[in-house]
Amino acid sequence: MKHLPGVCQTLGKWSSMFIPTLIYCIGNQDEVWAIKDGPLSTSLQLIWDAVYKGVSYTVTTDGPVIAVALQRLSEWRNSLGTTALVVFANFLRSQPDLETDEDHEQFSACLLIKSAFLFGTIKDDGSKHTEPFQSDLIVQVLAQHHCAISGALAFVPGITTLGHAKGALGLATSAAGIFTISSYS
């Protein structure tokens, strides 16, 4: 924080509005991992102009705003993975009939069949699962994302990717799948 422009430290908008808006914007994109510096600095400039109206500053690809923003994006992605890990571990522990590591592995393997871990309702008889992307695991990881974007601006002039958390859903799905697979292997 100490390397950011002074206005970031005095107005209190950096953590409460700027970063949540950035996460909101990135979470709505298809690609949340390989974000190029040029487009990111353009988005950061648009967010800066919307959050810090009237405060002149130019975001550069080698400046402190992009450096700290990249760190916060990394922390956001990490928080989604950590949440998925904790939720899945608790889910396994809450199953009364799973007593051994082998039981956990077999149960996890079953959750991988037809990506059952993504569904809110899993049919034991092999029929079609219902309520896609509504499993407790996915919902709780998305709740973590929702907490991260609390305080975000709903509209940023010049950014059109607001409204659908495609990237966040992709991260949640990936994290859930990875932890399901890792408990199976």
Side-chain angles (χ1 to χ4, degrees), residues 21 24-25 43 46-48 50-51 153-160 162:
T21 302
Y24 181 57
C25 292
S43 293
L46 292 169
I47 295 168
W48 178 277
V51 170
L153 297 175
F155 176 73
V156 176
I159 297 180
T160 58
L162 302 179

Side-chain angles (χ1 to χ4, degrees), residues 39-70:
L40 178 60
S41 66
T42 300
S43 293
L44 288 169
Q45 186 67 59
L46 292 169
I47 295 168
W48 178 277
D49 294 343
V51 170
Y52 298 105
K53 293 180 176 128
V55 177
S56 180
Y57 181 80
T58 301
V59 177
T60 61
T61 58
D62 61 349
V65 169
I66 198 167
V68 176
L70 285 168

Side-chain angles (χ1 to χ4, degrees), residues 23-39:
I23 292 170
Y24 181 57
C25 292
I26 298 300
N28 290 328
Q29 295 180 8
D30 293 332
E31 176 57 63
V32 296
W33 289 103
I35 304 166
K36 293 185 170 58
D37 286 351

Side-chain angles (χ1 to χ4, degrees), residues 68-97:
V68 176
L70 285 168
Q71 177 61 38
R72 295 300 175 264
L73 287 173
S74 177
E75 291 167 2
W76 163 68
R77 290 186 294 255
N78 184 48
S79 74
L80 295 183
T82 301
T83 300
L85 174 63
V86 169
V87 171
F88 189 68
N90 287 335
F91 175 69
L92 287 177
R93 273 192 234 108
S94 73
Q95 305 303 310
D97 54 341

